[in-house]
Amino acid sequence: MINNKNIIKGHLSMKMIRAVEDEIAFRYYKDQLMRCPVHLSIGQEAAAVGVCENLKSSDYILSNHRCHAHYLAKGGDLNSMICEIHGKANGCVGGRGGSMHLQDDSVNFLGSFPIVGSAIPLAIGVAMNIKRLKKNSIVVSFLGDGAVEEGSFHESLNFASVFKLPILFVVENNYYSIQTHIKDRQVSDNFTRFSNSNLIPSTRCDGNNFIDTFTNAKKIIKEVRKSKPYLLQLDTYRFVEHCGPNSDDHLKYRDGKELNHWLKKCPVSHIERLMLKNNIINQEYLIKLNSQIQRKVISAFNLAIRSPLPKSRDASKYSYAK
Amino acid sequence: MQNKTTYSLSESLRVTLERLMKKDKRIILFGEGIDDNSAMFQTTKGLTKLFGKERVVEMPLSENCFTGAAIGSSILGDKVVVNLQRVEFSLLALEQIFNNAAKIYYGSNGQHMSRTVFRMVVGRGWGQGPVHAQSLESVFSSIPGLKVFMPVFPSEGCQLLAEAINDNNPVIFIEHRWCHYNLEKFNPWKINLSQKINAIKKLSNGKDLSIVSNGYHSSEIFTLLKIFKKFGISIDHLHLRKLNPLEIDAVYSSLKKTGRLLIVDSGQLKQGINSEILSRVFEKGLNLKLPPIRMGLPDHPVPSSRGFIKSVYPNYLSIAENIFKLLNIKKDKSLKIFNQIDSIIKRTSVDVPINDFKGPF
C-alpha cells in the first residue's frame, strides 16, 4: 500500500511544513512583521500530508483556521503564503485574508474558512457540483474535533449520505478546543459514532503515524472516488499554543503525562527514525535536505519582508464583483 | 398558457426561472418544498419535470448546510437560487450568508465569486405572527458584499430576478407574500431579461410632495395616488426596488422640486432603509419646507391576531393622513378623499391580500 517513493515524498512535505512553521514561530514576536493571528500545525503534519499525498491536483480541499499544513501539503505556493501572513500585496489573497484565509486555486486549495464548521457546507456544495457535472475529482473537508460539535457538521453528514457525495471528511482530533479538553465537551472522543448514525463508513487511526494515515487515506479515497462519502478520524496533538508561536503548557491545562505521551510521538521524527532504520535514507541525505528546505524557507521570508504592503486606496476593491 | 395577457408576480417569477434555466445549464435551484404541490407559492411549479432533480434539488431541512452548499457550488461556476419560504429560515444560515457569501469575492482577492440568489418571502396576514412576518431587508442591506432586491410589480419581478441570477454577487431577493398577487398586463415570455433596471422607478410625476416607498406599500401607494390625482394633488412617487447598494440620486432631484418628503418603508422604522435615506437627504443639505415623515413597522414584533393589525402596518388611511399633513390639506377636502379611499379598499378583511385568499400561508 505504501512504497519508499511515497515515504520519501511524504517525509519531504512534512519536513517542509515543520520548517516553515518553526520559522514563523521563531520570528513571530521577534520580527513583529506577521501581524495577524497564526494557528500553527506543528505536531499535526502527518494528518495533512498523509491525506494530501493521496490526492490529485484536480481534487479539491477546504480547510479551517489551522490551515498552513493543509495548504502546503496540497502543493500551495510557499511564497504566496508567507507574503500573505506578512500582509503583503503579493500574498495569496493580496493581504485581504492573512494566515486564516489562505487560498491557491492552481492546486484546488479552495480556501481556509476560520469560523469553526463554516467550510464543511461549502465542501458539500463543491461535492454536489462535482457529482452533477460528473467531474473526475473528489473533495476533502478538513475539520477539527471542535467542528464536530457544530450543527453544520451534522447537517453535512446527512447531506453527504443522502446525496451520495464524493466527499471525505477528515477530522483531526487534537483533543482541545483552545484550552478545553474534549472530555468536557463530548461524551466520547470517537467521532465515528456520528458517521455510523448517518450510514457513512469511517476509519479512526493514529494521525501522528504517517504510514498509517497514508495507507488508510489511500484505501478510503479509492472508495470516495466512487462517489461514496467517508469519514477519517486522525488522532493527533498540537505542540504549541492554540494561537501563536509559543508553548502554553505553563498554564497547565494539558496533563503532563498526556503531553509527554504525544511529544514522544512527533510525526516528523517518527517517520525519520523509521526511514533511517530501514536504510531508506541516510544522515547525509537529511543534512542536504535540511539545508535545501532552509534555503527555500528563508528565501520566502526574504521575499515577504521586501515586498510592498497593499495600498490603502485599494481597501474597497473587490467589495462587489462586476 | 402563453396567450394570457395578465400575469401575477408569482406567475411571472416562475416563467422567468423557466426561461433562464432553459438558456443556462449552470442555474440550479435549492430549497425546501420547491417540488411539492405548493411549489414555493407556485413560483417553482413544474420546474423539476422540466429540468430534473439534479437542477431542482429538494433539500433536507438544513438551511445552514444548503446555503453553504450553494456558495460552495457557485465557487465552481454554478448559479444557485436558494428558495426560502419565509425570511426567518435564513436566520439559521446567516453565518454562511454574512461570512462566506458576502465576503468570498473580497476575501479571495477577486478570485472566487458567490453567484447566489437567496429568495426569501416576507409573510403577512392570516395570523402569520412574530416569526413568519419579519421584514429584515435593512439587516441584509447593512452587510457589505450583499445586494438586496425587492420586487413588487410583475414585470419588474422578471427583470430583477434575471438580474439577480446573472449578477456575480450574492443577491438577497425579498418577496413580500402579498406582492405575489399583484397583477400586470404584459408578457413575461417576451420581456427583455438582459436589461438592467434602475434602483428607483418613478410611478407618478408630481411637484407637491415626494413619496419614497418600497415593498408592498409601493403598490398600495400606486393605487392611492390615482385618487389624489383626481383632486389635483400632484405627487412624485419613487418606488425603491434595489435596497443595496442604495442609489437614491432620484430622491435628491425629486426633493429639489417638491421640498416635502414622506418615506413609507415596508421594513422596521427604527434603523431601517428609511433612516438611511433620511440621513443621506440631510447630508445633502436639501431644504425641506416641512419636517419629513417616515412610516414603517413599529418597534415590536408583528402579532398574529387580526385584532392588532391596524396599528402595525402603514395602510391606505394612515398613509393618506400623512400626505394631508405634509400638504396642509384642509378637513373638507381630506374627508372627500377619505370617502373615495373607502371605495378602493376592496379587501373585506385586514388580514388577507385578496378576497379569494382562504389561508393558510
Side-chain angles (χ1 to χ4, degrees):
Chain A
M1 281 299 274
I2 187 164
N3 57 36
N4 287 353
K5 219 173 119 193
N6 297 140
I7 294 175
I8 289 170
K9 213 163 150 254
H11 169 253
L12 168 67
S13 177
M14 285 162 67
K15 285 286 271 190
M16 184 60 153
I17 295 166
R18 177 64 64 90
V20 169
E21 293 209 306
D22 277 346
E23 193 65 25
I24 293 173
F26 174 67
R27 294 177 183 235
Y28 191 72
Y29 285 128
K30 185 173 78 73
D31 286 7
Q32 296 284 297
L33 292 174
M34 289 171 271
R35 303 171 87 91
C36 63
V38 290
H39 301 79
L40 302 179
S41 323
I42 296 172
Q44 302 187 204
E45 296 88 348
V49 176
V51 172
C52 289
E53 281 298 312
N54 285 293
L55 297 177
K56 301 185 209 164
S57 63
S58 57
D59 294 329
Y60 299 95
I61 76 173
L62 289 95
S63 168
N64 52 26
H65 54 288
R66 200 175 305 288
C67 55
H68 301 168
H70 305 146
Y71 173 96
L72 293 171
K74 186 68 171 73
D77 184 69
L78 171 65
N79 290 343
S80 305
M81 172 177 129
I82 298 300
C83 290
E84 185 61 36
I85 299 174
H86 281 77
K88 298 302 177 76
N90 54 348
C92 59
V93 291
R96 287 189 152 72
S99 156
M100 292 186 282
H101 294 264
L102 302 180
Q103 181 187 320
D104 190 341
D105 278 357
S106 69
V107 293
N108 282 354
F109 183 88
L110 288 182
S112 53
F113 298 83
I115 294 302
V116 174
S118 183
I120 314 170
L122 300 177
I124 290 288
V126 170
M128 289 180 81
N129 175 281
I130 291 171
K131 182 157 186 179
R132 188 177 100 256
L133 301 179
K134 300 183 173 63
K135 290 180 181 168
N136 188 21
S137 309
I138 66 161
V139 58
V140 176
S141 175
F142 278 100
L143 54 133
D145 49 294
V148 164
E149 288 145 32
E150 296 287 352
S152 62
F153 171 66
H154 298 272
E155 291 186 10
S156 298
L157 283 182
N158 178 53
F159 248 78
S161 190
V162 168
F163 293 113
K164 298 185 178 56
L165 298 177
I167 183 168
L168 170 60
F169 301 96
V170 176
V171 188
E172 282 174 83
N173 172 30
N174 69 14
Y175 294 89
Y176 287 87
S177 165
I178 308 188
Q179 296 174 13
T180 308
H181 193 269
I182 193 161
K183 70 176 182 325
D184 298 323
R185 300 181 282 120
Q186 296 188 39
V187 292
S188 158
D189 61 13
N190 190 346
F191 310 133
T192 61
R193 69 191 195 277
F194 300 122
S195 43
N196 288 344
S197 66
N198 283 287
L199 309 183
I200 292 176
S202 54
T203 301
R204 178 181 189 177
C205 80
D206 179 355
N208 275 24
N209 184 323
F210 171 72
I211 293 180
D212 267 12
T213 304
F214 180 94
T215 48
N216 274 305
K218 187 173 180 180
K219 204 162 57 191
I220 289 163
I221 285 167
K222 229 174 169 180
E223 292 302 301
V224 179
R225 291 203 189 283
K226 297 176 200 156
S227 207
K228 289 179 191 162
Y230 214 103
L231 182 141
L232 174 61
Q233 174 171 349
L234 299 171
D235 297 320
T236 182
Y237 211 70
R238 63 173 157 74
F239 287 180
V240 297
E241 58 198 326
H242 160 70
C243 179
N246 297 322
S247 152
D248 61 355
D249 288 317
H250 61 283
L251 299 172
K252 303 252 185 265
Y253 67 91
R254 300 207 286 199
D255 175 69
K257 250 183 167 168
E258 178 192 274
L259 185 64
N260 282 332
H261 166 77
W262 283 100
L263 286 177
K264 272 187 226 151
K265 280 167 61 68
C266 168
V268 182
S269 25
H270 174 265
I271 190 74
E272 218 160 88
R273 276 199 306 274
L274 211 92
M275 289 165 84
L276 288 167
K277 200 174 133 198
N278 289 292
N279 294 321
I280 299 172
I281 54 167
N282 54 28
Q283 285 295 349
E284 204 180 324
Y285 169 87
L286 276 180
I287 293 166
K288 225 168 116 191
L289 185 71
N290 283 339
S291 75
Q292 273 171 3
I293 287 176
Q294 212 48 35
R295 262 205 306 279
K296 273 190 190 162
V297 173
I298 297 302
S299 115
F301 276 83
N302 286 343
L303 172 70
I305 290 165
R306 67 169 188 267
S307 294
L309 286 166
K311 299 268 178 283
S312 74
R313 64 165 182 269
D314 289 333
S316 66
K317 208 175 160 190
Y318 301 126
S319 35
Y320 287 93
K322 291 251 158 55
Chain B
M1 288 298 275
Q2 297 203 19
N3 50 13
K4 270 174 61 132
T5 54
T6 304
Y7 286 81
S8 68
L9 177 63
S10 59
E11 289 169 319
S12 307
L13 295 175
R14 197 219 151 277
V15 170
T16 305
L17 283 173
E18 180 178 334
R19 285 181 65 190
L20 293 169
M21 288 181 78
K22 257 184 194 151
K23 258 180 63 186
D24 189 346
K25 281 191 171 159
R26 292 173 302 176
I27 301 172
I28 53 178
L29 309 187
F30 285 2
E32 295 154 343
I34 47 176
D35 189 28
D36 64 14
N37 64 325
S38 74
M40 187 76 183
F41 312 106
Q42 305 300 305
T43 59
T44 55
K45 197 180 170 190
L47 295 179
T48 312
K49 221 176 222 168
L50 285 172
F51 302 108
K53 281 179 186 285
E54 286 214 306
R55 290 183 64 199
V56 182
V57 197
E58 193 63 48
M59 289 285 162
L61 296 198
S62 310
E63 290 79 8
N64 189 13
C65 185
F66 69 67
T67 298
I71 300 161
S73 78
S74 80
I75 293 175
L76 298 192
D78 288 335
K79 301 176 177 181
V80 192
V81 183
V82 176
N83 297 275
L84 300 166
Q85 312 239 1
R86 281 292 181 267
V87 174
E88 286 85 349
F89 292 105
S90 74
L91 302 181
L92 290 156
L94 284 192
E95 194 279 319
Q96 288 295 340
I97 298 175
F98 289 3
N99 284 341
N100 295 336
K103 295 178 181 57
I104 214 155
Y105 185 68
Y106 190 83
S108 69
N109 211 28
Q111 298 172 75
H112 288 166
M113 291 187 284
S114 175
R115 291 192 283 197
T116 41
V117 178
F118 300 97
R119 291 182 62 205
M120 304 176 187
V121 177
V122 181
R124 175 170 169 178
W126 204 268
Q128 297 297 303
V131 299
H132 271 58
Q134 290 178 81
S135 282
L136 300 178
E137 45 271 22
S138 63
V139 174
F140 292 106
S141 298
S142 71
I143 304 293
L146 297 179
K147 290 191 175 181
V148 181
F149 295 175
M150 210 158 68
V152 172
F153 302 101
S155 62
E156 77 178 7
C158 298
Q159 291 165 312
L160 283 175
L161 184 59
E163 192 176 325
I165 290 175
N166 290 320
D167 201 295
N168 288 325
N169 299 281
V171 180
I172 307 295
F173 196 82
I174 298 183
E175 298 163 31
H176 193 286
R177 179 70 186 102
W178 283 13
C179 290
H180 281 154
Y181 298 93
N182 281 345
L183 296 170
E184 190 175 334
K185 244 189 189 160
F186 83 114
N187 188 344
W189 296 97
K190 294 272 163 66
I191 191 168
N192 182 355
L193 293 180
S194 49
Q195 200 186 333
K196 287 192 176 183
I197 59 174
N198 293 332
I200 286 179
K201 184 179 187 182
K202 197 172 262 195
L203 292 176
S204 80
N205 246 312
K207 55 178 182 19
D208 301 334
L209 165 70
S210 304
I211 300 182
V212 182
S213 69
N214 60 26
Y216 184 67
H217 300 311
S218 283
S219 45
E220 283 180 315
I221 294 165
F222 179 72
T223 311
L224 195 63
L225 293 191
K226 285 180 189 163
I227 295 172
F228 278 83
K229 207 171 176 187
K230 281 197 237 165
F231 287 85
I233 297 162
S234 142
I235 292 173
D236 238 15
H237 180 201
L238 306 162
H239 159 51
L240 180 66
R241 49 201 181 174
K242 292 181 183 171
L243 275 53
N244 198 46
L246 188 63
E247 290 158 12
I248 55 164
D249 285 354
V251 176
Y252 306 144
S253 42
S254 171
L255 281 174
K256 278 177 195 155
K257 185 172 61 174
T258 67
R260 294 171 210 262
L261 175 63
L262 171 64
I263 309 175
V264 189
D265 190 347
S266 64
Q268 208 75 26
L269 187 62
K270 189 179 76 179
Q271 292 173 3
I273 299 292
N274 63 82
S275 327
E276 181 65 26
I277 294 173
L278 198 54
S279 305
R280 294 191 190 186
V281 165
F282 269 104
E283 279 178 338
K284 274 272 163 191
L286 298 171
N287 287 324
L288 300 183
K289 293 172 188 159
L290 276 177
I293 296 178
R294 298 179 295 141
M295 302 177 77
L297 287 172
D299 200 13
H300 61 72
V302 174
S304 174
S305 170
R306 62 195 182 283
F308 295 115
I309 294 305
K310 234 172 87 182
S311 61
V312 176
Y313 295 102
N315 55 50
Y316 287 120
L317 298 179
S318 62
I319 295 167
E321 264 171 25
N322 281 328
I323 297 175
F324 299 150
K325 223 184 268 175
L326 282 165
L327 292 175
N328 293 318
I329 291 171
K330 295 283 170 305
K331 201 143 196 192
D332 52 332
K333 193 172 181 184
S334 66
L335 274 177
K336 280 181 201 157
I337 295 175
F338 268 139
N339 281 338
Q340 293 245 338
I341 292 171
D342 268 345
S343 73
I344 62 158
I345 303 176
K346 296 193 187 88
R347 270 182 287 122
T348 50
S349 179
V350 292
D351 65 342
V352 292
I354 53 171
N355 285 332
D356 287 347
F357 185 90
K358 305 289 182 218
F361 289 109

